[in-house]
Amino acid sequence: MTDTILVLTEDTLAGSDVQHILDLHAGEDLAYRVLVPADTDRPLVPWIVDALSMGELREAWERATGGEPSRAQARATAQEQIDSSVAAFTAAGRPATGQITDDDPLPALRTAVAAGDVREVVVVTYPHMVEDTFHTDWASRARDQLQVPVLHLYSGTSELG
């Protein structure tokens, strides 16, 4: 049985993100499974704070004025992100699979870890000021609930969250 690295991300993984993940276990034969939530229920205030802190004024305005995606739109976006992320692993010479999760990805992580072949979880997100500060982000919650190592990387960088 091959060990699996679960990769939870909120967006398409960049080639550099995939390379950072692969470099964690260079030379090992591992399976990779990308999980992307169909995010339709992100808390409004933290989302707007994050968007404003990243200079995304238009996105903050759209969300504040009711720009919440429908369930179908969120699932379609998540599938596109999975397909592109899996393709990035394939381009790097590693096979990967993908799975859409609900808004809260922690139940899917718990189920995958309980199956027994998960070695660790790598969470790749953009910085989220409110959640990261108060340790309510996915990685912090996963560390509290799972019995495997959890690494938090910020998307597009080599910075740890």
Side-chain angles (χ1 to χ4, degrees), residues 11-36:
D11 202 349
T12 301
L13 293 171
S16 61
D17 297 327
V18 170
Q19 195 56 56
H20 288 139
I21 293 166
L22 295 177
D23 288 346
L24 294 172
H25 303 285
E28 295 186 58
D29 185 28
L30 299 168
Y32 295 87
R33 187 172 344 146
V34 179
L35 299 145
V36 178

Side-chain angles (χ1 to χ4, degrees), residues 43 52 54 56 71 91 97 100 103 113 119 121 123 137 146:
L52 291 174
M54 303 279 287
E56 298 170 346
R71 184 80 176 143
T97 60
I100 297 173
D103 285 327
V113 169
R119 180 188 288 185
V121 175
V123 179
D137 59 289
L146 305 176

Side-chain angles (χ1 to χ4, degrees), residues 134-145:
F134 293 104
H135 303 287
T136 59
D137 59 289
W138 293 338
S140 295
R141 292 174 51 219
R143 284 183 195 113
D144 290 343
Q145 297 179 26

Side-chain angles (χ1 to χ4, degrees), residues 49-156:
V49 169
D50 290 341
L52 291 174
S53 71
M54 303 279 287
E56 298 170 346
L57 302 177
R58 183 172 45 97
E59 290 84 352
W61 176 256
E62 287 175 3
R63 180 66 192 274
T65 57
E68 189 81 24
S70 70
R71 184 80 176 143
Q73 290 169 325
R75 289 189 68 77
T77 298
Q79 189 61 55
E80 290 171 11
Q81 293 166 336
I82 286 170
D83 293 345
S84 296
S85 297
V86 167
F89 274 102
T90 303
R94 296 294 178 95
T97 60
Q99 173 186 344
I100 297 173
T101 73
D102 291 329
D103 285 327
D104 181 2
L106 269 292
L109 289 176
R110 278 194 301 274
T111 299
V113 169
D117 64 341
V118 174
R119 180 188 288 185
E120 69 184 45
V121 175
V122 178
V123 179
V124 182
T125 66
Y126 298 106
H128 297 292
M129 289 178 45
V130 175
E131 289 96 340
D132 292 350
T133 300
F134 293 104
H135 303 287
T136 59
D137 59 289
W138 293 338
S140 295
R141 292 174 51 219
R143 284 183 195 113
D144 290 343
Q145 297 179 26
L146 305 176
Q147 301 301 314
V148 296
V150 176
L151 178 67
H152 187 189
L153 297 172
Y154 287 133
S155 184

